[in-house]
């Protein structure tokens, strides 16, 4: 999974482009994908199978199923 961090495209289950993986943050509780969204925000996605079911390194594509609210803009 470490290789997934190199500019992989991040999409949701329907194929909508969310952004690109910037890096994998190794935090004490769990690893997190740092995703740069198409509107230039950074979003942390828990790097667990529930939220990141597919990592296709050959095609540089990561599929995420984010929980409600994760990709919402902060107000």
């Amino acid at each position: 999974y470490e290789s997934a961090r190199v500019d992989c495209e991040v999409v949701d289950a329907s194929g909508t482009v969310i952004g690109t993986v910037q890096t994998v943050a190794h935090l004490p509780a769990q690893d997190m994908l740092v995703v740069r969204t198409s509107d230039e925000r950074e979003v942390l996605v828990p790097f667990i199978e529930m939220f990141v079911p597919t990592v296709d390194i050959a095609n540089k594509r990561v599929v995420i199923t984010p929980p409600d609210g994760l990709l919402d803009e902060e107000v």
Side-chain angles (χ1 to χ4, degrees):
Y1 278 163
E2 185 66 24
S3 300
R5 69 187 175 129
V6 183
D7 296 324
C8 285
E9 180 179 60
V10 178
V11 299
D12 65 15
S14 69
T16 301
V17 175
I18 305 298
T20 57
V21 175
Q22 297 300 294
T23 191
V24 177
H26 302 286
L27 304 178
Q30 66 192 31
D31 290 346
M32 303 286 275
L33 287 181
V34 180
V35 177
R36 172 78 61 190
T37 64
S38 53
D39 62 356
E40 297 301 316
R41 294 181 295 124
E42 272 193 0
V43 177
L44 297 177
V45 178
F47 203 2
I48 58 174
E49 190 172 356
M50 178 187 296
F51 301 134
V52 186
T54 305
V55 176
D56 183 351
I57 294 171
N59 292 306
K60 296 185 75 171
R61 188 177 184 114
V62 175
V63 177
I64 64 171
T65 55
D68 288 342
L70 183 71
L71 299 177
D72 294 346
E73 288 190 50
E74 292 182 21
V75 178

